Every structure is written in structure tokens, then in C-alpha cells.
Amino acid sequence: MHLIDALAATPAGLAVLFVVLGLITGIPAGLFGIGGGLVLVPVFVAVFTVLGFPEAGLVQLAVGSSLGAIIPTALLSARAHHRRGGVDGEAVRRLLPGIIGGALLGAGLATQLDSDHLGRIFGAFEVAIGLWMLLNVQPPRKPVPRRGVWLGGGGIIGAVSALIGIGGGTLTTPFLVSQGLELRRAIGSAAALGVPISIGATLVFALPQWTATTPATPEWSLGYLYLPAIAGVVAGTAISVRAGVWLAHHLPVAVLRRGFAGVLILAGLLMLLR
């Protein structure tokens, strides 16, 4: 606590604090292919609480900052997958309209919800994802080529992702696999679709800065984006995500997957009970 308070006293100290958080959260992002939002949001909530940020809008600040931090990671990941031929252009085009519309809607809803309610929604989703990882549930392959299915699927993915501050891969990959895409191409296409989700939703979370509807937020904020957190986490994640990828190829991932699922369930329960 005292160390965090000391670091929070200056912008440089805050940057160091969030770089360390980025170093920590980048490892599971690289290890499990999760963009970081499932880890970042509860960590941001905990740190922002310790720093004494106003309770009203605190979860929105965590979600918005998570989305802002995801943008560079999503861009780099999408580019890397595209270079390896891992992005299915047709699948991306079919999901894109629903993804964009859903992301804008979900982000708009998140900025209007009570902070406690938003925290409970995130907690419930995180527990569900933790159980899904723990049980290693595989989506059934039932391709449905109808345009409405893709539009509706994209809308749900975009809305939920923006609402809780994730890049969408957790939801997009299983959907694409269920539609017949090979897993690697599903992951690459999901990474590409994380770009419009994170950019569109981040812009919505920044809008209150100019509409005077944001509750009291700390200095160095832009709407519901806490800029020191975004900058520091991006710098830290860029370094540690490679370590996560290395670990994925050298450690028993099945065991680590169960451990990480337990962490998600615990973090989700803490969000539900806060």
C-alpha cells in the first residue's frame, strides 16, 4: 500500500507502477492468447481503489483503460497473424458490421451503468470464462451461413467485449470455430476483429470528456481513459507478452490453463463481492 501511494505521488511513479502491471499481465496474454482485458480490468479496479480514485465511475475507468491498452496489442497481433496468412478475410468481412455496431452499443451502455452493476457484470462473465477454461469446453462445429447469424453473432461479441473491456478473442474464436474455421485461422481472424472493437469502444469511453457527463475522474484522464495506466501497461505488455509465448511452448499448458482458470474465477468472485 505504502509503495503504491509513493509511486502515485508523481506521474513518473505512476508510469513505473503501470509498466510493472503490464509486465505481469502480458505473460498470461501471451501464454493463453487472451488479450489482457480479463486480467487488466480487475487489476485496474484494485489499484484505482488503493489510489483513492472516486468510486463513481471507477469500474468504467478500469474498463475504458483496459480497452485503450489493448489497441496496440491488437494491431500488432493482427499484423503478425496476417503476415502468416492466418486471417480469413471473408470471415472478418461478415462479422465486421455486427462487431462495430455491437462495440459502440456496448461501450455506450457501459458508460451509463452504475459502476457497481458494471463490476458485477464483469465478475459474472469472468467466472463463466474461468469455468469454460477449467472444463476445456470445445464449441460444436455447426456452420450456419445465413447473414443474420453472422450479424447477430458479431453484434453480441462486440457488445459484450466493449461492455467489459476485452478485445473479443475469447468470444470470437469459438464462434468462428463453430462456423467451420480451422483454429489457427479463427484465432488470427479474431485478433484482426479485436482492432475495431478496441478502437471503437475506446473512442466511446473518451467521449464524456467533451460532453461533461463524466463523474469526477483523476488527473491525467481523458473521459474514462486513465492515460498513465494505458501508457505504462502498453510498454510492459510489449515486453512480457513474448515471455508468455515462450512459456506456452515450454511448459505443460494444460496444467497452467487450469491454474489460470482458477485465477479468473477468484478475480471474478472478488469483483462480484466488492
Side-chain angles (χ1 to χ4, degrees):
M1 296 288 186
H2 295 300
L3 177 60
I4 292 178
D5 289 338
L7 290 173
T10 65
L14 277 174
V16 171
L17 172 63
F18 289 114
V19 167
V20 172
L21 291 179
L23 289 169
I24 295 170
T25 57
I27 292 176
L31 184 59
F32 299 104
I34 292 175
L38 289 173
V39 178
L40 282 176
V41 172
V43 170
F44 279 162
V45 167
V47 172
F48 293 169
T49 300
V50 172
L51 293 177
F53 289 175
E55 187 67 25
L58 187 144
V59 177
Q60 280 85 349
L61 194 68
V63 171
S65 300
S66 171
L67 287 162
I70 286 170
I71 292 175
T73 305
L75 286 166
L76 291 172
S77 178
R79 183 183 180 188
H81 282 291
H82 179 68
R83 284 182 169 179
R84 293 175 177 269
V87 177
D88 189 297
E90 179 62 23
V92 169
R93 285 190 292 271
R94 295 180 76 175
L95 272 181
L96 189 59
I99 286 276
I100 293 175
L104 296 176
L105 179 64
L109 177 61
T111 62
Q112 301 302 314
L113 284 173
D114 176 80
S115 186
D116 287 339
H117 292 162
L118 182 59
R120 293 188 186 99
I121 291 171
F122 180 90
F125 180 85
E126 189 158 44
V127 169
I129 294 300
L131 291 172
W132 172 72
M133 290 186 68
L134 189 64
L135 299 173
N136 197 21
V137 178
Q138 300 299 318
R141 289 179 177 266
K142 296 182 179 179
V144 181
R146 290 196 299 273
R147 182 178 180 183
V149 172
W150 286 75
L151 185 63
I156 292 171
I157 291 167
V160 173
S161 300
L163 181 66
I164 61 176
I166 64 175
T170 306
L171 301 173
T172 310
T173 299
F175 176 84
L176 292 175
V177 169
S178 75
Q179 296 305 303
L181 261 70
E182 184 267 332
L183 180 59
R184 287 190 179 87
R185 288 180 67 78
I187 292 173
S189 302
L193 287 162
V195 175
I197 290 175
S198 55
I199 292 177
T202 298
L203 291 174
V204 174
F205 275 92
L207 280 177
Q209 177 73 23
W210 298 283
T211 59
T213 58
T214 312
T217 51
E219 190 179 7
W220 305 99
S221 296
L222 179 66
Y224 287 114
L225 311 178
Y226 188 53
L227 301 181
I230 294 172
V233 165
V234 167
T237 302
I239 298 170
S240 63
V241 72
R242 298 175 184 175
V245 173
W246 184 88
L247 289 172
H249 291 276
H250 291 82
L251 295 177
V253 177
V255 175
L256 292 170
R257 182 187 182 95
R258 289 193 289 270
F260 186 59
V263 171
L264 291 182
I265 293 170
L266 177 61
L269 290 174
L270 291 175
M271 289 289 287
L272 286 169
L273 298 173
R274 65 180 291 274

